[in-house]
Amino acid sequence: MKAYLIRRLWQSVLVLLGVSVVVFLILHLTGDPAALLLPPDATALDLETLRTALGFNDPVAVQYLRFLRGAVQGNFGESLRHGEPAMTLVVERLPATFQLAGAGLLIALTLAIPAGIVSAVRRNKPVDYIATVVALLGQAMPTFWLGIMLILIFSVRLGWFPSSGRGDLEHLVLPAITLGLFTTARITRLTRSGMLEVLGQDYIRTARAKGVSEPPVVWKHALRNASIPIVTIVGIELGTLLGGSVITETIFAWPGVGRLSVQAIFNRDYPVVQAAVFLLASTFVIVNFLVDIVYTYLDPRIRFR
């Protein structure tokens, strides 16, 4: 158990190190941020002076090591646009992103797991066909299209919910549905396939032959053994919701990390982009590490690998 967790922790550190390299190199391939910070009539000397002041004239390796040292200390430098610490800007937006991702995941779990179980238990029945079609539609619809349609119908035409911004619960409904529907579809399909596999096992048939009623067979025996892949996909989806909320936050003007990242990318605000990506990647890695711990509870064989 201890060796397993240490190995997973070490792998998590390597993942974060890889993320730091990829983010740093890709951002430095997108162009010169100093050119965006200066007015169009700036001279070549002005440009060179600003590059030197920001450290962009140093070798790439030196810049990366400086970035990595700061990242370990939680210091990503100051925003080139806002003049404030980049990490402070990102942390200020983090609660909004957590709120949106949490609401999306809550919707997904509330709908998907019961739908997947019912679909598996009622295999090849009308309810199974309906759940399968709805799940396929949920995965097929692009997030940006769904968000715009929800705004047009429920905000513009019916006036039930606000179309943008963050405020009370009404502001959260449409963005959470937009973000959570794709995850709902994916978890529904995975739950259904996992339950179908488990319900066909010998120990399930034995339990039924012994006269155990159907609810304990489904909820106590089948669901627990089918839950390992579900826990896996939930952990991955939570990370995806946190990092993939960029489109939803942009459509609904939700003041989260995703929207801040988009604005920072357009402005080539390197420190903010690096801080946002690094923080979201860290959250993703932590969530997956916690999922690994849950594995050991659900499947004791993992402790001895």
Side-chain angles (χ1 to χ4, degrees):
M1 173 75 173
K2 185 178 179 181
Y4 169 76
L5 292 179
I6 291 175
R7 186 169 65 252
R8 295 297 297 146
L9 187 61
W10 173 240
Q11 291 171 348
S12 301
V13 172
L14 290 180
V15 169
L16 288 177
L17 192 62
V19 168
S20 70
V21 173
V22 172
V23 171
F24 180 84
L25 291 180
I26 289 180
L27 281 175
H28 279 70
L29 291 175
T30 59
D32 185 3
L36 283 179
L37 295 174
L38 292 175
D41 57 348
T43 64
L45 180 60
D46 295 333
L47 194 61
E48 192 65 16
T49 303
L50 183 58
R51 283 175 181 159
T52 304
L54 296 176
F56 293 142
N57 282 336
D58 295 334
V60 174
V62 174
Q63 293 185 51
Y64 172 72
L65 291 176
R66 187 165 56 222
F67 158 72
L68 192 60
R69 185 171 62 247
V72 172
Q73 300 170 349
N75 178 16
F76 291 84
E78 289 193 351
S79 166
L80 302 180
R81 281 286 170 183
H82 302 280
E84 299 179 30
M87 182 55 84
T88 301
L89 287 172
V90 174
V91 170
E92 286 176 352
R93 306 292 186 93
L94 208 54
T97 296
F98 279 155
Q99 183 187 24
L100 181 57
L105 186 63
L106 181 63
I107 290 174
L109 293 179
T110 304
L111 297 177
I113 293 181
I117 293 173
V118 172
S119 181
V121 173
R122 301 293 182 187
R123 185 181 184 184
N124 296 330
K125 299 290 176 57
V127 67
D128 180 26
Y129 295 137
I130 293 172
T132 302
V133 170
V134 172
L136 288 173
L137 284 175
Q139 286 193 291
M141 282 189 294
T143 302
F144 71 89
W145 181 84
L146 177 63
I148 293 172
M149 289 301 105
L150 290 178
I151 290 175
L152 288 176
I153 296 172
F154 294 102
S155 295
V156 177
R157 192 171 292 274
L158 299 177
W160 289 357
F161 301 104
S163 62
S164 63
R166 183 189 181 210
D168 52 22
L169 189 60
E170 291 182 343
H171 289 80
L172 184 61
V173 174
L174 296 185
I177 293 174
T178 303
L179 191 62
L181 193 60
F182 185 84
T183 301
T184 301
R186 181 177 292 182
I187 296 178
T188 298
R189 298 191 65 186
L190 186 71
T191 303
R192 179 183 182 275
S193 61
M195 287 293 293
L196 284 176
E197 182 179 349
V198 172
L199 287 172
Q201 298 293 321
D202 290 340
Y203 68 90
I204 295 294
R205 284 193 286 269
T206 302
R208 286 171 171 162
K210 288 182 176 178
V212 179
S213 59
E214 195 64 14
V217 169
V218 173
W219 294 99
K220 184 178 178 181
H221 298 287
L223 182 58
R224 174 164 181 168
N225 289 288
S227 60
I228 292 179
I230 298 173
V231 169
T232 304
I233 197 66
V234 169
I236 295 174
E237 286 299 317
L238 178 56
T240 305
L241 289 173
L242 288 170
S245 59
V246 174
I247 297 175
T248 305
E249 289 184 3
T250 303
I251 292 174
F252 290 94
W254 189 263
V257 178
R259 187 160 174 253
L260 176 68
S261 301
V262 171
Q263 295 169 342
I265 290 172
F266 282 125
N267 294 327
R268 292 179 187 167
D269 196 345
Y270 289 0
V272 174
V273 178
Q274 289 168 342
V277 174
F278 204 78
L279 198 60
L280 291 177
S282 301
T283 305
F284 186 86
V285 169
I286 291 171
V287 168
N288 277 274
F289 183 70
L290 295 177
V291 168
D292 290 337
I293 295 177
V294 175
Y295 280 173
T296 61
Y297 169 73
L298 295 174
D299 188 353
R301 294 173 299 178
I302 296 176
R303 301 174 193 170
F304 304 103
R305 290 180 184 174

